[in-house]
């Protein structure tokens, strides 16, 4: 019998081998003139009738392509099998932890200064399999494999096919490294690596400028979070002298929770800043919706199921630390709740099918942080796990819709598709019920548990719970708005699109069905405690993760048990289901029964609508600070602002609209624009002297040096 | 020193690298008029051979580690480390220059002789333990570099670069010399250990303000050479104007050697008065990072962009200096090695891409390079990723150790701002990658010939070194850690 436990280091290496093969030899396997890479899937399919036959996924079956289609998903399948074997064997171990150290990356001797007691740094290429990483590797490999299979069909008529799979495999390699690492430094390698490969994948559509920009934005915003992560790691080294998970947890054992804001809170806060970057939380969430420029399978794998959850994983991995820092934990919960409701509110009015899903992802990630913040770490991971199924399914389904319509992404120009693409419709229907939180689908169990823990945990509060419930209502509404607009009602397709609507080939629909099965059943291993008529086996998830979070929950667990009130839990559960149903009903009413109502509401509430539609203007403000150059940012702000005003004028009827739009213009001009201008002005003020000095004249350079000398000397002579 | 002084033979072995390089440079000079123009290229190979022998000589000298010439020279791990570094940088620069000079029809022996003499100066700087020796080493290195910067005599840009570098360099060195005179007046010695002894002794120590002035004056000279703010102002103009391989050389070798003397003087002689100079270096480190990164954001000329980037990187090393601890010194040493490889590599790509008379040196010219020469583009991307500080490259560990050292020295603000700076820096490096990978090939990329073999060697060895430093950092880190304890 193979000992899979000692072979866990192989799990990331399979996809790496795939990536290396693909990127080195792929060009020879799949010769393609580079210029064809430019085409987006819709464009490729829509470019006249000649390409249309191929659109069913029966791309010219070159043997090289076949080999690529085999290697790409095949390596991930190998990882999946090895993961499954290792997890089964792990379940048999009494201690439920297995560590494999392949090689000492940085030996300890360098940081053995004579005086510094604990200042040693040893980091290994070491892998840790425990219940937490077991869940993660299974999610990554299962969902990853299904998405790889789907991509065979979706990317079938794309140029650069080998490169796509090469980058996808590379991503899976880094993601598996991230979740299997036994120390923060190696975790960080995976952390940066997934960012890098997602950057490559977003920019996959060469020549599409917005894709390149989006990739860059994602990367730079993430770097800001990473600065926090590194700083947290360094502070951790300075405090504990180690970055190995096991050693850090040992160093934390026996400490009491911090009452003020001490060094532990600082470490936790800095790590959390890193998490906000990777997992798209306030204030670093703006990159994720833009990242949807990449191909849809990329959005499904990276920006829904795996990479963006790395922050949640990291917080859960550091649970022993976060549990000792109630202030930071509260911040985590508050940021999570705020992100959840903010992103959900934006998703209410977006018209691009992928953008709705993108904001939905941000919002769901907010739920996970809310759970982690209130100390319910296993629930955060539980939601991560159920979310991976239904969100990956929603993205792949959206991809199937886009594929069917030849590149159309605007839900206002869809409608009535349910009979034309039945498999896509039915599977997405299941996923939408799941994310809305309707029992007995997966999303219900995890979301309900989050709300209950937020209500009942000593770290939670009723206010956070209320935010969560409102978000749940919004979630049900925007998902079913999307469903009704896309699949029901009168078809609003363009000539072009309606001509070639078709269901996707089996290689794409089979993964949809598999994920739909997961969206239905994945939650059944995490049933609420009050459903006593199901056995303990249906509460497997919590028991499985219990050893990992034992230290973290020890401080307040007893307290929580005492407050367990069965009738309240029942009431809250029923309330949350009613709320979800109400959201669906409202969406049905507005978009199916009275299709003219949304327009009326939009006009009556123009300022609110504009703010939501423009995503609270967060992008515009950040553009100035981080991403764009000053002038460019100003231009884009002004043009967007113009568009908003012009649109408002056209749509406006009656003086009320005009009045409200005047108000919103005023608000835009003086508050939004003003604050942006102020920031631009400040930065310009800062760079002006530097430019003034860089004249190119020798004399003025000498003068600068002289002034520098005078300052340095003056410093000593004056004091 | 009496006239009858005869140095023991160990002392000669301790300066063997300098002897080898001087002999090599002299031979190149002598052979220069005897060779026909088409054979001048051989002098390049001669220089390369001299550098390799010097590398071996460095190892020999290290076996006989110890003070030489009445402690004016000291061969310790620190000296060996920097000697090896500047020699390797010199060799990479020669590899980059071979085809460049041929292309510009300027192949001649004095170029290689000047590179060798410059390296002699840098080796001396690395091994000096006495202020006059430091000054002499600095001048040998600088004067050769001034000439190299203006090497293509009929190119206006070269002339401008050289004259600016020379005048401003002399100006700044004058302050250094003044600072040396001052400290000699205060302590009666130019020997670093002796100065330290006087400053550390409360009975002998002169007034603090006077020592501060001396430290400040010497700081001006050092800061100029490492291009730290506010004395960085010459860097963009000089780097942009000089021939690309010379810029590659200047931005790595002389800078590393200048940091070597900076570290040695401030960690030994001025170490007892660290609390006095720390605020000045702190402020300079901060300003250097900010100026370098902010200015680089808006550059379109590759050489100028990399010049500002090299200012920013000097800022990170200054953070390590500010930490003034052994870990800080080791971190700075490691960083300078990583920086040398990634930066020389990046400039090697620029050298390759620029073509005759350096026509293509704008970021936009690189459009579509990845489609035409995927390997060149991938190597360039690797250097840029390392400059950003992505894990598994040398640049990441360099930054990691520096900020670790800074944090252990309780420099919280500097660490935080430094990390944010390095986040900001990702933007301008990425722009280059985006242009290379995501834009349609332009005229410049379409007409690019494959790199010459010598340049390929330079590119690949820099790339391998960058990766090895990221995956097996302990190879270098171990030695740096052991060498960071300077003789006092």
């Amino acid at each position: 019998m193979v000992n899979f436990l000692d072979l866990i280091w192989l799990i990331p290496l399979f996809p790496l081998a795939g990536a290396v093969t693909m990127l080195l030899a792929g060009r020879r396997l799949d010769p393609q003139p580079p210029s064809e890479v430019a085409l987006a899937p819709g464009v490729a399919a829509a470019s006249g009738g000649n390409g249309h036959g191929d659109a069913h996924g029966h791309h010219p079956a070159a043997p090289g392509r076949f080999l690529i289609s085999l290697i790409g998903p095949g390596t991930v399948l190998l990882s999946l099998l090895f993961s499954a074997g290792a997890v089964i064997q792990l379940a048999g171990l009494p201690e439920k932890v297995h560590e494999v150290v392949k090689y000492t990356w940085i030996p300890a001797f360098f940081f053995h200064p004579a005086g510094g007691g604990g200042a040693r740094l040893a980091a290994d290429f070491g892998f840790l399999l425990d219940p937490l990483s077991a869940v993660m590797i299974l999610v990554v490999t299962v969902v990853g494999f299904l998405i790889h299979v789907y991509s065979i069909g979706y990317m079938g008529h794309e140029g650069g096919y080998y490169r796509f799979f090469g980058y996808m495999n590379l991503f899976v390699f880094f993601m598996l490294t991230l979740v299997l690492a036994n120390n923060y430094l190696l975790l960080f390698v995976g952390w940066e690596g997934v960012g890098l490969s997602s950057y490559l994948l977003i920019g996959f559509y060469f020549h599409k400028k917005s894709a390149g920009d989006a990739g860059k934005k994602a990367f730079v915003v993430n770097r800001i979070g990473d600065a926090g992560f590194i700083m947290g790691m360094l502070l951790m080294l300075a405090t504990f002298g180690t970055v190995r998970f096991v050693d850090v947890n040992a160093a934390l054992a026996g400490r009491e929770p911090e009452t003020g804001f001490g060094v532990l809170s600082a470490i936790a806060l800095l790590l959390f800043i890193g998490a906000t970057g990777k997992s798209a939380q306030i204030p670093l969430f703006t990159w994720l919706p833009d990242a949807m420029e990449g191909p849809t399978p990329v959005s499904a794998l990276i920006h829904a199921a795996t990479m963006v959850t790395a922050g949640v994983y990291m917080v859960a991995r550091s649970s022993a630390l976060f549990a000792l820092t109630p202030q930071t934990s509260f911040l985590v919960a508050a940021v999570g709740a705020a992100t959840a409701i903010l992103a959900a509110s934006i998703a209410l009015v977006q018209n691009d099918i992928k953008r709705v899903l993108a904001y939905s992802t941000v919002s769901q990630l907010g739920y996970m942080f809310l759970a982690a913040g209130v100390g319910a770490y296993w629930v955060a991971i539980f939601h991560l796990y159920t979310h991976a199924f239904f969100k990956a399914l929603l993205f792949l389904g959206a991809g199937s819709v886009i594929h069917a319509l030849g590149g159309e992404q605007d839900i206002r120009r869809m409608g009535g598709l349910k009979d034309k693409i039945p498999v896509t419709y039915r599977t997405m229907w299941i996923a939408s019920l799941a994310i809305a939180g309707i029992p007995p689908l997966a999303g219900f169990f995890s979301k309900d548990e989050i709300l209950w823990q937020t209500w009942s945990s000593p770290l939670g509060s009723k206010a956070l719970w209320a935010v969560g419930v409102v978000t749940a209502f919004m979630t049900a509404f925007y998902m079913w708005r999307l469903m009704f607009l896309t699949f029901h009602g009168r078809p609003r397709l363009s000539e072009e699109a309606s001509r070639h609507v078709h269901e996707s080939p089996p290689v794409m629909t089979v993964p949809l069905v598999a994920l739909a099965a997961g969206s239905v059943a994945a939650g059944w291993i995490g049933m609420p405690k009050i459903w006593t008529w199901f056995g303990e086996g249906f509460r497997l998830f919590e028991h499985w993760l219990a050893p990992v979070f034992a230290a973290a929950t020890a401080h307040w667990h007893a307290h929580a048990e005492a407050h367990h009130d069965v009738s309240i839990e029942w009431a809250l559960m029923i309330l949350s289901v009613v709320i979800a149903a109400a959201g669906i009903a409202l969406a049905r009413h507005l978009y199916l029964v009275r299709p003219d109502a949304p327009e009326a509401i939009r006009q009556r509430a123009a300022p609110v609508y504009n703010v939501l539609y423009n995503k609270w203007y967060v992008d515009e403000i950040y553009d100035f600070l981080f991403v764009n150059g000053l002038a460019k940012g100003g231009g884009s702000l002004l043009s967007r602002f113009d568009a908003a005003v012009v649109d408002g004028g056209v749509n406006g009827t009656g003086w009320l609209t005009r009045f409200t739009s005047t108000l919103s213009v005023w608000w835009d001009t003086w508050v939004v624009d003003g604050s942006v201008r102020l920031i631009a002005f400040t930065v310009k003020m800062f760079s002006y002297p530097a430019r003034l000095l860089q004249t190119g004249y020798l004399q003025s350079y000498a003068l600068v040096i002289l002034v520098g000398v005078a300052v340095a000397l003056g410093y000593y002579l004056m004091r | 020193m009496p006239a009858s002084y005869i140095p023991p033979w160990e002392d000669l072995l301790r300066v063997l690298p300098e002897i080898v390089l001087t002999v090599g440079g002299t031979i190149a000079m002598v052979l220069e008029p005897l060779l026909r123009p088409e054979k001048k290229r051989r002098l390049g190979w001669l220089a390369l051979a001299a550098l390799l022998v010097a590398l071996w000589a460095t190892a020999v000298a290290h076996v006989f580690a110890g003070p030489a010439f009445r402690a004016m020279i000291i061969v310790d791990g620190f000296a060996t480390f920097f000697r090896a570094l500047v020699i390797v940088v010199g060799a990479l620069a020669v590899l980059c220059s071979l085809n460049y000079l041929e292309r510009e029809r300027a192949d001649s022996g004095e170029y290689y002789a000047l590179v060798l003499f410059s390296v002699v100066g840098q080796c001396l700087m690395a091994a000096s333990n006495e202020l006059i020796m430091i000054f002499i080493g600095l001048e040998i290195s600088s004067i050769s570099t001034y000439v190299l910067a203006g090497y293509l005599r009929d190119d206006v840009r070269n002339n401008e670069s050289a004259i600016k570098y020379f005048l401003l360099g002399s100006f700044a060195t004058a302050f250094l010399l003044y600072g040396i005179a001052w400290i000699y007046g205060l302590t009666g010695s130019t020997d670093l250990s002796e100065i330290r002894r006087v400053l550390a002794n409360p009975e002998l120590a002169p007034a603090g303000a006077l020592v501060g002035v001396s430290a400040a004056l010497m700081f001006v000279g050092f800061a100029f050479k490492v291009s730290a703010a506010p004395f960085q102002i010459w860097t963009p103009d000089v780097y942009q104007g000089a021939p690309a391989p010379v810029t590659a050389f200047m931005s790595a070798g002389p800078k590393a050697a200048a940091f070597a003397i900076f570290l040695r003087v401030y960690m030994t002689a001025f170490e007892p008065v660290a609390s006095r100079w720390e605020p000045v270096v702190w402020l300079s480190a901060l300003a250097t990072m900010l100026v370098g990164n902010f200015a680089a954001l808006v550059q379109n000329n590759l050489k100028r962009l990399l010049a500002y980037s090299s200012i920013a990187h000097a800022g990170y090393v200054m953070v390590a200096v500010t930490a003034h601890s052994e870990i800080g010194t080791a971190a700075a040493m490691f960083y300078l090695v990583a920086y040398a490889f990634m930066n020389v590599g990046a400039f090697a790509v620029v050298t390759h891409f620029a073509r005759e008379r350096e026509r293509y040196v704008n970021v936009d010219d690189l459009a579509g390079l990845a489609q035409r020469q995927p390997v060149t583009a991938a190597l360039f991307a690797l250097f840029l990723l390392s400059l950003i500080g992505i894990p598994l490259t040398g640049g990441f560990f360099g930054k990691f150790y520096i900020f670790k050292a800074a944090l252990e020295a309780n420099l919280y603000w500097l660490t935080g701002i430094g990390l944010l700076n390095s986040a900001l820096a990702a933007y301008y490096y990425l722009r280059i990658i985006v242009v290379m990978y995501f834009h349609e090939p332009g005229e410049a990329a379409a007409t690019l010939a494959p790199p010459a073999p010598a340049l390929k060697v330079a590119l690949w060895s820099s790339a391998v070194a960058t990766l090895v430093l990221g995956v097996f950092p302990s190879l270098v880190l171990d030695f740096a850690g052991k060498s960071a304890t300077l003789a006092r």
Side-chain angles (χ1 to χ4, degrees):
Chain A
M1 165 114 197
V2 187
N3 184 354
F4 287 107
L5 282 176
D6 284 331
L7 293 177
I8 50 172
W9 56 278
L10 275 176
I11 295 173
L13 289 190
F14 292 124
L16 179 65
V20 170
T21 317
M22 222 72 89
L23 295 175
L24 290 184
R27 200 195 256 284
R28 251 161 256 160
L29 289 176
D30 183 29
Q32 282 263 339
S35 58
E36 282 184 29
V37 177
L39 300 173
V43 186
S47 57
N50 56 340
H52 184 61
D54 291 347
H56 292 270
H58 305 295
H59 46 81
R65 278 214 155 191
F66 179 73
L67 201 60
I68 293 169
S69 315
L70 209 62
I71 297 174
T75 54
V76 183
L77 182 64
L78 267 177
S79 297
L80 168 59
L81 294 177
F82 272 69
S83 305
V87 172
I88 290 169
Q89 291 180 354
L90 180 76
L93 291 183
E95 72 276 13
K96 298 273 188 295
V97 178
H98 190 76
E99 214 168 340
V100 177
V101 175
K102 281 324 283 180
Y103 153 64
T104 303
W105 190 10
I106 305 158
F109 52 79
F110 172 52
F111 291 105
H112 257 315
R120 79 194 158 82
L121 164 69
D124 308 317
F125 275 114
F127 301 94
L128 172 76
L129 188 70
D130 69 348
L132 177 57
S133 47
V135 172
M136 295 303 292
I137 55 174
L138 287 179
V139 168
V140 171
T141 52
V142 170
V143 177
F145 173 66
L146 291 173
I147 293 172
H148 271 74
V149 172
Y150 175 95
S151 306
I152 297 174
Y154 192 83
M155 303 304 290
H157 23 257
E158 298 295 308
Y161 189 66
Y162 71 93
R163 192 168 28 205
F164 177 81
F165 275 110
Y167 292 157
M168 286 287 267
N169 273 349
L170 190 67
F171 169 79
V172 175
F173 157 68
F174 280 122
M175 191 68 208
L176 288 170
T177 308
L178 194 162
V179 295
L180 276 174
N182 80 338
N183 62 69
Y184 282 95
L185 204 60
L186 189 59
L187 185 153
F188 188 69
V189 170
W191 185 273
E192 287 286 275
V194 290
L196 190 65
S197 33
S198 95
Y199 170 63
L200 293 168
L201 282 165
I202 299 169
F204 183 73
Y205 291 147
F206 291 11
H207 318 286
K208 194 167 157 191
K209 189 175 173 305
S210 55
D213 284 350
K216 206 159 62 175
K217 180 174 181 179
F219 199 81
V220 173
V221 170
N222 266 303
R223 292 293 301 172
I224 294 167
D226 293 346
F229 191 145
I230 298 181
M231 185 112 177
M233 206 155 47
L234 292 171
L235 198 57
M236 179 186 287
L237 261 178
T239 315
F240 307 123
T242 177
V243 288
R244 284 183 66 212
F245 299 141
V246 179
D247 294 344
V248 171
N249 287 351
L252 285 169
R255 292 212 190 192
E256 283 301 304
E258 275 187 349
T259 44
F261 189 87
V263 65
L264 296 184
S265 303
I267 297 173
L269 179 65
L270 289 164
L271 291 180
F272 178 60
I273 290 173
T276 57
K278 189 95 339 187
S279 293
Q281 296 295 293
I282 293 172
L284 300 177
F285 68 95
T286 56
W287 65 270
L288 183 57
D290 288 15
M292 297 302 150
E293 290 287 347
T296 308
V298 173
S299 312
L301 178 60
I302 297 182
H303 306 121
T306 55
M307 181 184 87
V308 290
T309 62
V312 181
Y313 166 76
M314 195 256 280
V315 171
R317 180 53 84 196
S318 318
S319 60
L321 175 67
F322 278 85
L324 293 177
T325 59
Q327 296 192 355
T328 309
S329 283
F330 175 75
L331 185 75
V332 173
V335 166
T339 311
I341 196 164
L342 179 90
S345 73
I346 296 171
L348 294 176
V349 298
Q350 298 301 312
N351 292 322
D352 182 318
I353 187 166
K354 285 180 76 180
R355 273 191 182 257
V356 175
L357 294 178
Y359 282 106
S360 160
T361 306
V362 175
S363 170
Q364 297 297 313
L365 289 165
Y367 268 126
M368 296 175 207
F369 280 107
L370 174 59
V374 301
Y377 302 104
W378 79 266
V379 186
I381 298 298
F382 186 40
H383 196 56
L384 185 162
Y385 148 83
T386 58
H387 176 255
F389 288 100
F390 56 72
K391 187 51 66 65
L393 171 53
L394 285 170
F395 266 110
L396 295 186
S400 180
V401 170
I402 296 166
H403 187 91
L405 298 181
E408 181 60 74
Q409 301 201 5
D410 191 332
I411 50 176
R412 286 171 301 186
R413 288 198 286 275
M414 294 181 184
L417 291 174
K418 68 183 162 86
D419 298 324
K420 292 178 181 146
I421 44 174
V423 181
T424 307
Y425 168 64
R426 286 182 197 146
T427 50
M428 279 188 81
W429 195 82
I430 291 173
S432 301
L433 279 185
I435 191 175
I438 300 296
L441 300 167
F444 162 74
F445 295 103
S446 51
K447 188 178 288 181
D448 185 64
E449 194 64 37
I450 290 175
L451 292 176
W452 167 244
Q453 295 279 356
T454 309
W455 174 283
S456 67
S457 159
L459 294 168
S461 71
K462 308 287 180 284
L464 291 174
W465 173 85
V467 172
V469 170
V470 174
T471 308
F473 175 76
M474 289 179 174
T475 309
F477 178 81
Y478 68 66
M479 274 320 302
W480 284 87
R481 167 178 176 268
L482 183 147
M483 288 299 288
F484 290 128
L485 283 176
T486 310
F487 292 106
H488 293 259
R490 187 172 49 79
R492 300 175 299 278
L493 310 172
S494 64
E495 274 296 291
E496 173 96 14
S498 56
R499 246 190 297 118
H500 73 74
V501 180
H502 60 274
E503 182 58 282
S504 302
V507 72
M508 290 168 70
T509 51
V510 168
L512 291 182
V513 174
L515 285 170
S519 306
V520 173
W524 294 349
I525 53 171
M527 298 218 174
K529 210 168 269 182
I530 47 173
W531 288 18
T532 43
W533 58 89
F534 289 105
E536 282 295 297
F538 289 93
R539 302 178 32 72
L540 176 69
F541 206 89
E542 187 180 359
H543 296 315
W544 172 250
L545 286 176
V548 183
F549 301 128
T553 45
H555 296 290
W556 43 268
H557 198 256
H559 179 75
E561 285 303 303
H563 281 250
H564 201 265
D565 191 324
V566 174
S567 54
I568 291 184
E569 187 169 353
W570 269 110
L572 294 180
M573 181 185 298
I574 292 165
L575 180 69
S576 85
V577 175
V578 169
I579 291 252
I584 299 174
L586 182 64
R588 181 167 183 279
H589 183 72
L590 288 181
Y591 291 96
L592 219 54
V593 183
R594 292 187 51 200
D596 53 332
E599 184 59 29
I601 294 174
R602 188 154 81 100
Q603 284 173 15
R604 221 164 294 158
V608 177
Y609 176 84
N610 281 338
V611 169
L612 292 185
Y613 186 75
N614 289 305
K615 303 159 258 172
W616 297 86
Y617 295 98
V618 176
D619 263 330
E620 281 76 0
I621 296 168
Y622 284 5
D623 275 357
F624 279 91
L625 287 177
F626 305 123
V627 182
N628 280 334
L630 299 178
K632 212 165 113 204
S636 104
L637 176 85
L638 286 177
S639 67
R640 283 195 205 190
F641 158 76
D642 277 357
V645 175
V646 173
D647 282 355
V650 172
N651 297 335
T653 48
W655 65 270
L656 184 69
T657 315
R658 214 153 286 160
F659 175 69
T660 50
S661 81
T662 312
L663 261 185
S664 96
V665 168
W666 183 86
W667 196 78
D668 277 0
T669 314
W670 293 102
V671 180
V672 178
D673 210 17
S675 60
V676 169
R677 267 163 207 269
L678 186 69
I679 293 161
F681 180 72
T682 320
V683 177
K684 219 177 241 169
M685 281 289 287
F686 179 80
S687 70
Y688 185 68
R691 277 195 204 176
L692 191 70
L693 294 175
Q694 203 77 45
T695 53
Y697 288 112
L698 200 54
Q699 299 90 319
S700 63
Y701 287 4
L703 188 66
V704 171
I705 292 179
L706 210 55
V707 170
V709 174
V711 169
L713 286 183
Y715 172 81
Y716 287 108
L717 294 176
M718 293 300 159
R719 53 172 248 169
Chain B
M1 206 177 288
S4 61
Y5 174 77
I6 298 169
W9 61 274
E10 289 99 335
D11 281 15
L12 293 177
L13 283 179
R14 284 172 192 140
V15 293
L16 195 58
E18 285 84 353
I19 295 175
V20 169
L21 290 168
T22 312
V23 171
T26 314
I27 294 177
M29 287 289 235
V30 172
L31 285 184
E32 153 67 25
L34 305 177
L35 282 178
R36 269 176 289 138
E38 66 271 17
K39 294 203 170 157
K40 300 248 160 110
R41 193 185 164 91
R42 291 183 186 173
L43 294 173
W45 299 113
L46 171 76
L48 205 58
L51 285 162
L52 290 180
V53 175
L55 198 59
W56 166 81
T58 304
V60 171
H62 189 63
V63 173
F64 293 89
F69 299 104
R70 306 217 166 141
M72 288 172 85
I73 296 284
I74 185 158
V75 178
D76 52 4
F78 187 81
T80 305
F81 188 93
F82 276 102
R83 271 178 171 174
L85 175 59
V86 296
I87 289 171
V88 169
V89 168
L92 289 174
V94 169
L95 285 171
C96 293
S97 308
L98 285 167
N99 292 88
Y100 182 89
L101 294 177
E102 214 165 58
R103 190 167 79 204
E104 304 290 340
R105 291 180 205 82
D107 219 354
S108 63
E110 71 245 34
Y111 180 91
Y112 301 111
L114 284 167
V115 171
L116 291 181
F117 291 146
S118 181
V119 175
V120 170
Q122 291 156 30
C123 285
L124 267 185
M125 286 157 83
S128 325
N129 196 35
E130 199 258 1
L131 289 172
I132 300 299
M133 280 312 295
I134 286 177
F135 183 73
I136 291 172
L138 186 67
E139 284 299 277
I140 296 175
S141 160
S142 301
I143 290 169
S144 320
T145 321
Y146 297 149
V147 183
L148 283 173
Y151 191 71
L152 304 176
R153 280 183 288 273
D154 46 352
D155 190 318
V156 180
R157 294 170 296 182
N158 276 215
N159 282 322
E160 181 187 336
S161 168
I163 198 79
K164 275 183 182 164
Y165 194 19
F166 170 61
L167 286 177
L168 294 173
S170 315
F171 190 48
T173 319
F175 288 106
L176 173 65
L177 200 54
Y178 193 33
I180 292 176
W182 200 304
I183 198 73
Y184 178 65
L186 288 172
T187 62
S189 175
T190 53
D191 182 272
L192 295 182
S193 317
E194 176 64 17
I195 294 171
R196 178 191 164 82
R197 202 181 58 77
V198 174
L199 292 185
N201 186 337
E203 283 173 21
L204 298 176
L210 298 179
V211 179
V213 167
S214 160
L217 286 169
M218 289 175 67
F219 173 75
V220 174
F222 294 145
F224 180 88
K225 290 298 172 191
V226 303
S227 48
F231 310 104
Q232 91 300 345
I233 194 139
W234 57 278
T235 315
D237 291 18
V238 172
Y239 280 19
Q240 188 184 353
V246 174
T247 313
F249 178 65
M250 275 197 296
S251 69
K255 187 177 265 195
F259 265 117
I261 52 175
F262 194 175
L263 283 166
R264 203 189 274 277
V265 171
Y266 278 71
M267 293 300 146
T268 59
F270 287 134
E271 209 258 350
V273 290
S275 61
R276 280 191 180 277
W277 54 260
E278 197 202 285
V280 171
V281 182
W282 189 96
L283 201 62
S284 174
L286 179 69
T288 311
M289 291 190 292
L290 288 174
V291 168
N293 281 320
F294 272 96
L297 284 177
V298 293
Q299 301 305 325
N300 196 35
N301 182 299
L302 268 175
K303 283 166 84 183
R304 205 171 173 83
L305 189 152
L306 287 174
Y308 279 113
S309 125
S310 88
I311 294 176
H313 286 274
Y316 302 135
V317 183
M318 293 285 282
V319 171
V321 180
T322 316
H324 66 85
S325 62
E326 274 169 32
I327 293 184
T329 307
M333 290 161 77
F334 182 86
Y335 196 87
L336 285 166
V337 175
Y339 164 79
F341 285 114
M342 61 202 186
N343 211 47
V344 171
F347 272 112
V349 176
V350 174
T351 309
H352 168 53
F353 194 82
R355 253 71 59 82
E356 208 182 324
R357 313 301 292 173
E358 300 197 8
R359 269 173 300 159
Y360 302 113
V361 284
N362 283 334
V363 174
D364 298 329
D365 292 333
L366 287 167
L369 179 63
Q371 289 183 34
R372 299 294 161 183
Q373 283 194 12
V375 176
T376 310
L379 290 175
F380 197 16
L382 172 71
F383 299 133
L384 293 170
L385 289 175
S386 182
L387 286 165
I388 294 176
I390 300 292
L392 295 185
T393 61
F396 168 71
F397 272 112
K399 283 208 182 75
F400 188 81
Y401 292 128
I402 281 184
F403 290 120
K404 179 178 184 296
L407 206 64
E408 277 174 10
N410 296 327
L411 302 169
Y412 296 110
W413 282 103
L414 206 53
T415 312
I417 297 171
L419 282 169
L420 282 179
N421 254 284
S422 69
L424 177 78
Y427 182 78
Y428 54 82
Y429 296 122
L430 273 182
R431 219 180 94 220
I432 304 177
I433 298 184
V434 167
V435 169
M436 282 197 303
Y437 277 85
F438 300 150
H439 286 193
E440 277 288 2
E443 176 224 341
T447 55
L448 184 62
L455 194 70
K456 251 187 200 161
V457 174
L459 278 173
W460 277 103
S461 39
S462 306
V464 168
T466 303
L467 276 179
V468 166
L469 287 172
V471 181
F472 307 101
S474 47
L475 294 179
V476 172
L477 208 50
D478 177 23
F479 193 76
K482 278 190 275 185
S483 312
T485 322
L486 294 168
R488 279 170 183 164

